[in-house]
């Protein structure tokens, strides 16, 4: 198939491109590098079935030819990015989603939206099934991401219902692995790079808030499984292995032999207190579940950061 991936120089999308190419497809990636990185394209560019276009997908999709599949992955995706790039974040969810959906309508392509567990906000239902409507602050600092993704889901369902476009919506929970940006502010790159530098790990708040971390290889298998399934309802992709940020900090310090301990920093506004996916829908519809253990995922992620963190 001929497949378009927006945000192709980003963390998850660059891994997605790699697997799609390995599966024999032709892949065109688009990115403007506001949060993506050239180095994420290194393994992709030599492949003759891969093409890269530098462009801002919130303005237009300057790519020619017909596509069979469009993965709309482009968006800033970490809390400090939302604060620095509020309008870019809003328009990735709104304008870029509409532009990509129009292209799918025109091409007869299947559309895939990278949505997020953030649509559940600070969830009052735990763990989270797809049927939960969420608890989102529509005006807080995270709202530019949360509400943009909620709009993106709505416009995707509207194109499906009213224009007959084939659509898929994934709600991605916390994902980690090689190619995360060292300074993107997310907890995994923060803790791992601090540990490698023998600094105390910065635990926000009391550290009792929970997250559930999925290794990127598992995530990408889930995205492709959903795209090729018959499911047009939203679908969680995440690893139900839940832990507190204190437990994560302890694990990383122990694994890396860092004896500098932790320091507590203020909890960001609207930081969700708990998050854990129910993945029955993915399991039932396309037989997906995570396979990479936390120990293996951390080992592979730390190995990557050892190569890029200046200590
Ligand atoms: N966090 C932390 N220290 C850091 C960065 C993040 O304790 O240096 C916490 C953050 O407050 C949140 C969790 O780790 O509770 C996950 O944060 P992240 O930004 O990775 O993703 P989120 O799930 O909040 O979007």
């Amino acid at each position: 198939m001929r497949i378009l991936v927006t945000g192709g120089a980003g963390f998850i999308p660059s891994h997605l491109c790699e697997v799609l190419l390995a599966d024999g497809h032709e892949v065109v990636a688009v990115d403007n590098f506001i949060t993506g990185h050239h180095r994420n394209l290194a393994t992709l560019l030599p492949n003759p079935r891969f093409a890269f276009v530098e462009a801002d997908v919130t303005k237009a999709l300057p790519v020619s030819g017909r596509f069979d599949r469009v993965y709309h992955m482009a968006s800033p995706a970490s809390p400090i990015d939302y604060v620095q790039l509020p309008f870019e974040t809003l328009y990735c969810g709104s304008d870029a989603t509409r532009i990509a959906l129009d292209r799918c309508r025109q091409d007869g392509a299947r559309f895939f939206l990278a949505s997020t567990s953030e649509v559940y906000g600070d969830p009052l239902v735990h763990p989270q099934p797809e049927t939960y409507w969420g608890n989102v602050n529509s005006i807080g600092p995270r709202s530019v991401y949360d509400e943009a993704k909620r709009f993106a889901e709505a416009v995707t369902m509207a194109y499906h219902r009213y224009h007959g476009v084939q659509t898929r919506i994934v709600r991605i929970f916390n994902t980690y692995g090689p190619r995360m940006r060292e300074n993107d502010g997310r907890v995994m790159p923060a803790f791992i790079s601090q540990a490698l530098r023998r600094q105390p790990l910065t635990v926000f708040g009391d550290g009792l808030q929970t997250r559930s971390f999925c290794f990127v290889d598992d995530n990408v298998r889930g995205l492709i499984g959903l795209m090729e399934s018959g499911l047009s309802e939203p679908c969680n992709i995440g690893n139900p292995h839940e832990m507190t940020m204190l437990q994560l900090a302890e694990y990383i310090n122990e694994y890396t032999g860092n004896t500098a301990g932790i320091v507590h920093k203020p909890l960001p506004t609207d930081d969700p207190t708990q998050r854990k996916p129910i993945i029955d829908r993915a399991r039932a519809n396309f037989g997906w579940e995570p396979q990479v253990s936390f120990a293996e995922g951390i080992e592979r992620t730390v190995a990557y950061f050892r190569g890029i963190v200046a200590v």
Side-chain angles (χ1 to χ4, degrees):
M1 289 189 287
R2 189 155 185 270
I3 302 179
L4 178 63
V5 178
T6 72
F11 159 50
I12 294 177
S14 66
H15 287 278
L16 173 65
C17 290
E18 217 166 70
V19 176
L20 293 172
L21 288 169
D23 287 348
H25 302 297
E26 189 183 325
V27 177
V28 178
V30 185
D31 204 300
N32 64 349
F33 298 113
I34 57 167
T35 59
H37 203 288
H38 287 91
R39 119 180 117 226
N40 294 342
L41 301 172
T43 61
L44 304 171
L45 288 170
N47 192 314
R49 282 182 283 104
F50 180 76
F52 180 76
V53 176
E54 184 169 347
D56 178 353
V57 296
T58 68
K59 303 272 179 353
L61 274 175
V63 286
S64 52
R66 188 195 157 270
F67 290 95
D68 302 291
R69 300 280 186 268
V70 174
Y71 285 87
H72 178 38
M73 308 294 294
S75 178
S78 103
I80 59 165
D81 290 341
Y82 321 149
V83 174
Q84 282 158 15
L85 302 165
F87 297 102
E88 291 84 345
T89 304
L90 281 162
Y91 301 147
C92 274
S94 54
D95 294 354
T97 305
R98 186 183 50 75
I99 289 168
L101 279 161
D102 276 338
R103 180 57 174 262
C104 287
R105 191 180 177 198
Q106 181 189 313
D107 284 8
R110 188 176 291 180
F111 176 78
F112 184 98
L113 173 68
S115 185
T116 170
S117 56
E118 285 279 318
V119 300
Y120 303 125
D122 189 1
L124 304 175
V125 169
H126 191 74
Q128 293 81 52
E130 290 89 347
T131 47
Y132 177 50
W133 290 356
N135 175 39
V136 174
N137 175 358
S138 63
I139 56 166
R142 297 173 87 104
S143 68
V144 294
Y145 186 65
D146 300 7
E147 295 295 0
K149 291 292 191 184
R150 288 168 71 96
F151 174 85
E153 290 197 3
V155 71
T156 299
M157 290 308 292
Y159 270 71
H160 176 64
R161 288 198 182 102
Y162 302 110
H163 294 321
V165 175
Q166 289 187 48
T167 57
R168 305 287 179 263
I169 299 174
V170 67
R171 292 184 180 151
I172 300 175
F173 283 65
N174 295 68
T175 303
Y176 71 105
R179 300 191 192 146
M180 294 189 92
R181 262 160 50 225
E182 183 189 342
N183 298 318
D184 81 358
R186 283 186 278 191
V187 70
M188 277 289 183
F191 280 4
I192 293 173
S193 50
Q194 288 159 356
L196 293 177
R197 293 204 184 90
R198 302 311 189 209
Q199 295 167 344
L201 310 196
T202 52
V203 173
F204 295 168
D206 60 12
L208 296 178
Q209 68 274 33
T210 69
R211 294 294 186 272
S212 308
F213 295 97
C214 185
F215 189 67
V216 65
D217 290 9
D218 281 334
N219 170 278
V220 165
R221 270 193 316 103
L223 305 190
I224 296 172
L226 173 59
M227 175 64 114
E228 299 309 326
S229 77
L231 186 65
S232 53
E233 302 292 306
C235 184
N236 290 341
I237 290 290
N239 190 325
H241 179 79
E242 182 184 16
M243 64 180 71
T244 67
M245 294 311 96
L246 275 179
Q247 287 169 328
L248 176 66
E250 261 168 47
Y251 189 97
I252 303 272
N253 272 340
E254 195 172 310
Y255 178 75
T256 56
N258 182 32
T259 53
I262 61 169
V263 288
H264 288 275
K265 300 268 180 179
L267 191 67
T269 308
D270 297 336
D271 198 281
T273 51
Q274 52 185 0
R275 188 184 283 157
K276 171 181 175 172
I278 290 179
I279 58 169
D280 294 350
R281 198 174 268 184
R283 223 182 243 130
N285 281 276
F286 48 98
W288 179 83
E289 55 183 59
Q291 289 171 356
V292 179
S293 69
F294 186 70
E296 183 189 341
I298 291 292
E299 190 180 322
R300 291 167 63 184
T301 308
V302 170
Y304 171 80
F305 278 97
R306 278 191 207 284
I308 62 162
V309 171
V311 289

